[in-house]
């Protein structure tokens, strides 16, 4: 790779974007069961719990 110094920066940007998407998922999406956000929901599916 010609620019190895860019790799850490890319990894940091990727991690930040993942955290951002996770935050949107938890705060903006509404549960179909109880209508609450996934952050407060008690009946969320197992794959959502794995993200917490
Ligand atoms: Zn729910």
């Amino acid at each position: 790779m010609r620019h190895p110094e860019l790799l850490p920066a890319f990894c940091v940007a990727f991690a930040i974007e993942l955290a951002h998407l996770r935050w949107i998922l938890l705060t903006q999406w509404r549960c179909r069961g109880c209508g609450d956000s996934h952050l407060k929901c008690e009946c969320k599916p197992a794959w959502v719990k794995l993200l917490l």
Side-chain angles (χ1 to χ4, degrees), residues 30-38 40-45:
R30 296 285 165 172
C31 172
R32 268 181 278 173
C34 61
D36 221 338
S37 68
H38 283 307
K40 298 172 188 169
C41 171
E42 295 295 328
C43 57
K44 53 182 163 287

Side-chain angles (χ1 to χ4, degrees), residues 1-17:
M1 184 177 277
R2 291 179 64 186
H3 299 287
E5 71 276 9
L6 289 179
L7 194 59
F10 178 79
C11 288
V12 168
F14 187 70
I16 290 171
E17 194 54 37

Side-chain angles (χ1 to χ4, degrees), residues 22 25-26 29 32 38 44-52:
R22 176 176 165 273
L25 176 72
L26 290 174
W29 283 19
R32 268 181 278 173
H38 283 307
K44 53 182 163 287
W47 68 268
V48 175
K49 286 178 184 168
L50 284 174
L51 295 173
L52 291 171

